[in-house]
Amino acid sequence: MLTLTSCENMGTKEKIGTTLGVITGGIIGNKIGGKDNKVIGTSLGIAAGYFIGSSIGKYLDEQDKQRMAQSTQQAITTGQTQIWTNTENKTSGQARVVETRKEPKPVVVPILKSKVKQIPPLDIIGDTYRAKSISNVRGGPGADYVKTGSLNAGETVNVVGKVKTSDWYLISQDGVGSGFVSAPLMEHAPGTIPPPSGTIIAQGDVAQQQVASERVCRTIEQSVSLPDGSKKSETIEACQGGDGWKVKS
């Protein structure tokens, strides 16, 4: 499974929609196509060759591409440098975290108009979470807001971000913001794919809302050491989005 989704108007605002579940499992980037940034989400075992930089990928076999892809994914999501070695062909590589920083970045979030009226400033997360128990979904970040739904124990959803001023998550289902859940009721569930809700959402039910936000960006240097003693490297930059990490072109 390989999903590429372009972002609109990245210079001033970033469009959020697709649930992270679609792209959990391998969010690795490469400089693919023109001026637009690309969201790259893929199963590591199938599509490793697509997102290893061409200057490196052409020197690696399929297994080593997969090793590099997994290392880069882990470096991007954890912020820690990752190292791999293939003892059979004496190839090794690393994904080194060069820089981690926070950027203020307004985003545009699609929301269900009937459930979410206003979104306060967010710290972007863009990852899959699981409900620890039956949890209320509310129209705003607080127990005094109207209940708009609920999550069953063990149910997974995409968390777009955490409200800056309170311990509440904005969640999205089927790629659309559907309400807020108290953060202590949720647990991180990386690698899990939230199932579709089965609800048909009409275009008229969805509004696009611009939200003040802050996101984490990381610069990653991918490098390999080849059996002949030569080294190849490439640097990429990835930033958090409400639907996962996006790699800048």
Side-chain angles (χ1 to χ4, degrees), residues 2-28:
L2 175 64
T3 304
L4 300 179
T5 306
S6 63
C7 300
E8 299 179 6
N9 301 325
M10 291 294 291
T12 56
K13 55 188 178 181
E14 184 175 334
K15 195 167 185 177
I16 292 178
T18 308
T19 57
L20 185 73
V22 175
I23 59 180
T24 298
I27 307 166
I28 314 301

Side-chain angles (χ1 to χ4, degrees), residues 177-194:
S178 56
F180 295 83
V181 179
S182 176
L185 301 179
M186 305 291 287
E187 61 183 3
H188 193 203
T192 308
I193 300 177

Side-chain angles (χ1 to χ4, degrees), residues 51-213:
F51 47 74
I52 297 300
S54 59
S55 63
I56 295 177
K58 64 183 179 182
Y59 297 101
L60 302 177
D61 61 24
E62 291 306 312
Q63 287 186 336
D64 286 346
K65 287 178 182 178
Q66 195 170 31
R67 290 184 178 97
M68 178 59 82
Q70 187 172 33
S71 295
T72 305
Q73 173 196 343
Q74 291 173 347
I76 289 173
T77 56
T78 67
Q80 298 178 352
T81 294
Q82 307 292 320
I83 299 173
W84 60 270
T85 301
N86 185 339
T87 56
E88 293 183 1
N89 64 11
K90 302 186 185 306
T91 301
S92 62
Q94 73 169 358
R96 183 173 68 91
V97 180
V98 177
E99 180 188 25
T100 297
R101 66 187 184 280
K102 287 189 175 183
E103 291 185 353
K105 185 80 174 184
V107 297
V108 174
V109 181
I111 59 170
L112 287 173
K113 294 187 291 186
S114 62
K115 294 186 176 183
V116 180
K117 303 303 181 183
Q118 190 69 32
I119 303 176
L122 299 174
D123 288 322
I124 295 298
I125 294 177
D127 208 345
T128 309
Y129 278 67
R130 179 188 299 112
K132 296 179 183 179
S133 60
I134 296 176
S135 305
N136 291 329
V137 180
R138 297 190 178 274
D144 53 337
Y145 284 89
V146 63
K147 176 183 173 181
T148 60
S150 64
L151 301 177
N152 295 320
E155 186 173 351
T156 56
V157 294
N158 180 52
V159 169
V160 175
K162 178 186 176 298
V163 177
K164 279 184 171 292
T165 56
S166 62
D167 211 13
W168 286 76
Y169 291 143
L170 171 66
I171 68 168
S172 70
Q173 296 168 292
D174 301 322
V176 181
S178 56
F180 295 83
V181 179
S182 176
L185 301 179
M186 305 291 287
E187 61 183 3
H188 193 203
T192 308
I193 300 177
S197 67
T199 302
I200 297 175
I201 301 174
Q203 186 174 357
D205 295 336
V206 178
Q208 305 292 330
Q209 186 169 128
Q210 183 167 316
V211 182
S213 67

